[in-house]
Amino acid sequence: MPDQALLIVDLQNDFCPGGALAVPEGDQVVAPANRLADAFGCVLQTQDWHPPGHHSFASEHPGKEPMETAQMDYGEQTLWPDHCVQGSEGARFHPDLDTRPTEAIFRKGFRPEIDSYSAFYENDHTTPTGLAGYLRERGTERLFLCGLAADFCVKWSVLDACAEGFETVVVEDATRGIDADGSLEAAWQEMAEAGATFARSEEALEAAG
Ligand code: VGL
Ligand code: ZN
């Protein structure tokens, strides 16, 4: 069996119903994520972790509303409601998520001027988080991903995981999308084109052994 790991992306209060940037049914991901975390030998998490006044917040751009875009040094950036502010309740993991099996938590989005969707690179696509090196040093060949949001942080993590040469599997019933302007449908297609495969959690649990 290839050496494998599970990455749970941004399963935080602000991305769940009632949160600042709620993903529809985001909380439904918690139960399958817990089952997966219990089964995998190596479990990692990401945590969206923005300083107050982060540049991706629409509130920092006078005249702009959340979900509009702005031009940044590194290209076009979607503007979001203030969310996942460092140390806030919204930045905490969902209270029902069992984080005990988690070995390492990679925080991202903590540089004030640059957003970070992917678990591997910031949105400039060049500043690494160290996750690729961590996985390589551990000998990981296959990476399973779940969490939020399917069309943003999960998608960009999946595309980078494929580009970094990991066999990449999206656990399709353990993720949900924001779906801004058809972004969810596009995300499934982009992930498939990048070479990712898709599995139901039962299949992922079987693969975890
Ligand atoms: C995310 C938008 C802004 C995500 C994070 O976790 O998908 N989306 N920050
Ligand atoms: Zn964010």
Side-chain angles (χ1 to χ4, degrees), residues 16 18 46 66 73 83 111 117 124 133-134 138 151 161 167 169 205:
C16 291
T46 59
D73 293 344
H83 66 280
R111 293 186 176 83
Y117 294 151
D124 61 3
Y134 183 97
R138 295 289 304 266
D151 39 358
E167 193 187 328
V169 186
L205 286 170

PDB file of all heavy atoms in Angstrom, residues 16 18 46 66 73 83 111 117 124 133-134 138 151 161 167 169 205:
ATOM      1  N   CYS A  16     -18.837  27.282   8.541  1.00  0.00           N
ATOM      2  CA  CYS A  16     -20.013  26.454   8.807  1.00  0.00           C
ATOM      3  C   CYS A  16     -21.239  27.341   8.983  1.00  0.00           C
ATOM      4  O   CYS A  16     -21.101  28.536   9.234  1.00  0.00           O
ATOM      5  CB  CYS A  16     -19.767  25.589  10.041  1.00  0.00           C
ATOM      6  SG  CYS A  16     -18.521  24.322   9.739  1.00  0.00           S
ATOM      7  N   GLY A  18     -23.972  29.710  10.125  1.00  0.00           N
ATOM      8  CA  GLY A  18     -23.890  30.635  11.249  1.00  0.00           C
ATOM      9  C   GLY A  18     -22.573  31.396  11.278  1.00  0.00           C
ATOM     10  O   GLY A  18     -22.445  32.382  11.987  1.00  0.00           O
ATOM     11  N   THR A  46      -5.484  22.078   7.892  1.00  0.00           N
ATOM     12  CA  THR A  46      -5.147  23.483   7.675  1.00  0.00           C
ATOM     13  C   THR A  46      -6.130  24.335   8.457  1.00  0.00           C
ATOM     14  O   THR A  46      -7.239  23.910   8.790  1.00  0.00           O
ATOM     15  CB  THR A  46      -5.205  23.895   6.189  1.00  0.00           C
ATOM     16  OG1 THR A  46      -6.522  23.650   5.692  1.00  0.00           O
ATOM     17  CG2 THR A  46      -4.186  23.131   5.369  1.00  0.00           C
ATOM     18  N   PRO A  66     -18.338  42.160  -0.278  1.00  0.00           N
ATOM     19  CA  PRO A  66     -17.869  40.776  -0.326  1.00  0.00           C
ATOM     20  C   PRO A  66     -18.310  40.090  -1.627  1.00  0.00           C
ATOM     21  O   PRO A  66     -19.396  40.378  -2.130  1.00  0.00           O
ATOM     22  CB  PRO A  66     -18.542  40.124   0.888  1.00  0.00           C
ATOM     23  CG  PRO A  66     -18.740  41.251   1.843  1.00  0.00           C
ATOM     24  CD  PRO A  66     -19.023  42.462   0.992  1.00  0.00           C
ATOM     25  N   ASP A  73      -1.198  42.503  -6.225  1.00  0.00           N
ATOM     26  CA  ASP A  73       0.095  42.356  -6.920  1.00  0.00           C
ATOM     27  C   ASP A  73       0.177  41.012  -7.637  1.00  0.00           C
ATOM     28  O   ASP A  73       0.817  40.885  -8.673  1.00  0.00           O
ATOM     29  CB  ASP A  73       1.268  42.421  -5.918  1.00  0.00           C
ATOM     30  CG  ASP A  73       1.387  43.805  -5.310  1.00  0.00           C
ATOM     31  OD1 ASP A  73       0.792  44.756  -5.870  1.00  0.00           O
ATOM     32  OD2 ASP A  73       2.067  43.929  -4.273  1.00  0.00           O
ATOM     33  N   HIS A  83     -13.310  37.122   8.111  1.00  0.00           N
ATOM     34  CA  HIS A  83     -13.506  35.734   8.565  1.00  0.00           C
ATOM     35  C   HIS A  83     -12.199  35.178   9.115  1.00  0.00           C
ATOM     36  O   HIS A  83     -11.115  35.643   8.781  1.00  0.00           O
ATOM     37  CB  HIS A  83     -13.993  34.848   7.404  1.00  0.00           C
ATOM     38  CG  HIS A  83     -12.970  34.678   6.322  1.00  0.00           C
ATOM     39  ND1 HIS A  83     -12.744  35.639   5.353  1.00  0.00           N
ATOM     40  CD2 HIS A  83     -12.079  33.689   6.076  1.00  0.00           C
ATOM     41  CE1 HIS A  83     -11.764  35.243   4.562  1.00  0.00           C
ATOM     42  NE2 HIS A  83     -11.334  34.067   4.982  1.00  0.00           N
ATOM     43  N   ARG A 111      -0.190  36.273   6.350  1.00  0.00           N
ATOM     44  CA  ARG A 111       0.517  37.468   5.860  1.00  0.00           C
ATOM     45  C   ARG A 111      -0.518  38.494   5.432  1.00  0.00           C
ATOM     46  O   ARG A 111      -1.399  38.188   4.619  1.00  0.00           O
ATOM     47  CB  ARG A 111       1.439  37.097   4.688  1.00  0.00           C
ATOM     48  CG  ARG A 111       2.596  36.207   5.112  1.00  0.00           C
ATOM     49  CD  ARG A 111       3.583  35.977   3.973  1.00  0.00           C
ATOM     50  NE  ARG A 111       4.722  35.193   4.437  1.00  0.00           N
ATOM     51  CZ  ARG A 111       4.738  33.864   4.541  1.00  0.00           C
ATOM     52  NH1 ARG A 111       3.671  33.161   4.217  1.00  0.00           N
ATOM     53  NH2 ARG A 111       5.809  33.244   4.982  1.00  0.00           N
ATOM     54  N   TYR A 117      -5.143  30.241  -0.370  1.00  0.00           N
ATOM     55  CA  TYR A 117      -6.198  29.227  -0.447  1.00  0.00           C
ATOM     56  C   TYR A 117      -5.605  27.830  -0.291  1.00  0.00           C
ATOM     57  O   TYR A 117      -6.111  26.998   0.418  1.00  0.00           O
ATOM     58  CB  TYR A 117      -6.920  29.296  -1.797  1.00  0.00           C
ATOM     59  CG  TYR A 117      -7.717  30.547  -2.060  1.00  0.00           C
ATOM     60  CD1 TYR A 117      -7.905  31.003  -3.360  1.00  0.00           C
ATOM     61  CD2 TYR A 117      -8.309  31.261  -1.027  1.00  0.00           C
ATOM     62  CE1 TYR A 117      -8.657  32.129  -3.629  1.00  0.00           C
ATOM     63  CE2 TYR A 117      -9.053  32.394  -1.288  1.00  0.00           C
ATOM     64  CZ  TYR A 117      -9.225  32.827  -2.593  1.00  0.00           C
ATOM     65  OH  TYR A 117      -9.956  33.944  -2.856  1.00  0.00           O
ATOM     66  N   ASP A 124       0.168  33.788  -4.430  1.00  0.00           N
ATOM     67  CA  ASP A 124       1.142  34.172  -5.461  1.00  0.00           C
ATOM     68  C   ASP A 124       1.680  32.936  -6.177  1.00  0.00           C
ATOM     69  O   ASP A 124       2.435  33.044  -7.143  1.00  0.00           O
ATOM     70  CB  ASP A 124       2.292  35.000  -4.864  1.00  0.00           C
ATOM     71  CG  ASP A 124       3.084  34.221  -3.804  1.00  0.00           C
ATOM     72  OD1 ASP A 124       2.793  33.026  -3.558  1.00  0.00           O
ATOM     73  OD2 ASP A 124       3.995  34.822  -3.209  1.00  0.00           O
ATOM     74  N   GLY A 133       7.124  19.678   1.545  1.00  0.00           N
ATOM     75  CA  GLY A 133       8.340  19.137   2.159  1.00  0.00           C
ATOM     76  C   GLY A 133       8.026  18.201   3.311  1.00  0.00           C
ATOM     77  O   GLY A 133       8.653  17.150   3.468  1.00  0.00           O
ATOM     78  N   TYR A 134       7.051  18.566   4.113  1.00  0.00           N
ATOM     79  CA  TYR A 134       6.631  17.736   5.248  1.00  0.00           C
ATOM     80  C   TYR A 134       6.199  16.359   4.747  1.00  0.00           C
ATOM     81  O   TYR A 134       6.647  15.330   5.238  1.00  0.00           O
ATOM     82  CB  TYR A 134       5.481  18.438   5.980  1.00  0.00           C
ATOM     83  CG  TYR A 134       4.991  17.732   7.224  1.00  0.00           C
ATOM     84  CD1 TYR A 134       5.454  18.114   8.480  1.00  0.00           C
ATOM     85  CD2 TYR A 134       4.059  16.698   7.142  1.00  0.00           C
ATOM     86  CE1 TYR A 134       4.992  17.471   9.632  1.00  0.00           C
ATOM     87  CE2 TYR A 134       3.602  16.055   8.284  1.00  0.00           C
ATOM     88  CZ  TYR A 134       4.069  16.443   9.523  1.00  0.00           C
ATOM     89  OH  TYR A 134       3.615  15.805  10.651  1.00  0.00           O
ATOM     90  N   ARG A 138       8.093  12.649   5.075  1.00  0.00           N
ATOM     91  CA  ARG A 138       7.403  11.537   5.706  1.00  0.00           C
ATOM     92  C   ARG A 138       7.193  10.360   4.765  1.00  0.00           C
ATOM     93  O   ARG A 138       6.632   9.343   5.157  1.00  0.00           O
ATOM     94  CB  ARG A 138       6.033  12.026   6.225  1.00  0.00           C
ATOM     95  CG  ARG A 138       6.109  13.057   7.344  1.00  0.00           C
ATOM     96  CD  ARG A 138       6.598  12.419   8.623  1.00  0.00           C
ATOM     97  NE  ARG A 138       5.714  11.305   8.963  1.00  0.00           N
ATOM     98  CZ  ARG A 138       4.669  11.392   9.769  1.00  0.00           C
ATOM     99  NH1 ARG A 138       4.415  12.525  10.387  1.00  0.00           N
ATOM    100  NH2 ARG A 138       3.902  10.360   9.996  1.00  0.00           N
ATOM    101  N   ASP A 151     -14.623  24.519  -3.590  1.00  0.00           N
ATOM    102  CA  ASP A 151     -14.282  25.308  -4.787  1.00  0.00           C
ATOM    103  C   ASP A 151     -13.219  26.373  -4.516  1.00  0.00           C
ATOM    104  O   ASP A 151     -12.871  27.134  -5.419  1.00  0.00           O
ATOM    105  CB  ASP A 151     -15.544  25.939  -5.406  1.00  0.00           C
ATOM    106  CG  ASP A 151     -16.520  26.450  -4.370  1.00  0.00           C
ATOM    107  OD1 ASP A 151     -16.275  26.292  -3.153  1.00  0.00           O
ATOM    108  OD2 ASP A 151     -17.545  27.024  -4.772  1.00  0.00           O
ATOM    109  N   ALA A 161      -1.404  19.725  -4.959  1.00  0.00           N
ATOM    110  CA  ALA A 161      -0.995  18.362  -4.587  1.00  0.00           C
ATOM    111  C   ALA A 161      -0.698  17.555  -5.851  1.00  0.00           C
ATOM    112  O   ALA A 161       0.301  16.833  -5.923  1.00  0.00           O
ATOM    113  CB  ALA A 161      -2.076  17.681  -3.757  1.00  0.00           C
ATOM    114  N   GLU A 167      -0.241  11.435  -5.453  1.00  0.00           N
ATOM    115  CA  GLU A 167      -1.474  10.822  -5.927  1.00  0.00           C
ATOM    116  C   GLU A 167      -2.582  11.438  -5.069  1.00  0.00           C
ATOM    117  O   GLU A 167      -2.556  11.320  -3.843  1.00  0.00           O
ATOM    118  CB  GLU A 167      -1.361   9.314  -5.723  1.00  0.00           C
ATOM    119  CG  GLU A 167      -2.419   8.537  -6.440  1.00  0.00           C
ATOM    120  CD  GLU A 167      -2.352   7.058  -6.062  1.00  0.00           C
ATOM    121  OE1 GLU A 167      -1.249   6.529  -5.793  1.00  0.00           O
ATOM    122  OE2 GLU A 167      -3.427   6.455  -5.997  1.00  0.00           O
ATOM    123  N   VAL A 169      -6.504  12.299  -3.946  1.00  0.00           N
ATOM    124  CA  VAL A 169      -7.871  11.770  -3.920  1.00  0.00           C
ATOM    125  C   VAL A 169      -8.771  12.722  -3.133  1.00  0.00           C
ATOM    126  O   VAL A 169      -8.485  13.045  -1.975  1.00  0.00           O
ATOM    127  CB  VAL A 169      -7.915  10.372  -3.262  1.00  0.00           C
ATOM    128  CG1 VAL A 169      -9.315   9.778  -3.367  1.00  0.00           C
ATOM    129  CG2 VAL A 169      -6.877   9.438  -3.862  1.00  0.00           C
ATOM    130  N   LEU A 205     -12.137   5.040   3.541  1.00  0.00           N
ATOM    131  CA  LEU A 205     -11.940   4.299   4.790  1.00  0.00           C
ATOM    132  C   LEU A 205     -11.336   2.931   4.497  1.00  0.00           C
ATOM    133  O   LEU A 205     -10.455   2.457   5.220  1.00  0.00           O
ATOM    134  CB  LEU A 205     -13.272   4.135   5.528  1.00  0.00           C
ATOM    135  CG  LEU A 205     -13.807   5.402   6.204  1.00  0.00           C
ATOM    136  CD1 LEU A 205     -15.243   5.186   6.683  1.00  0.00           C
ATOM    137  CD2 LEU A 205     -12.916   5.831   7.343  1.00  0.00           C
TER     138      LEU A 205
END
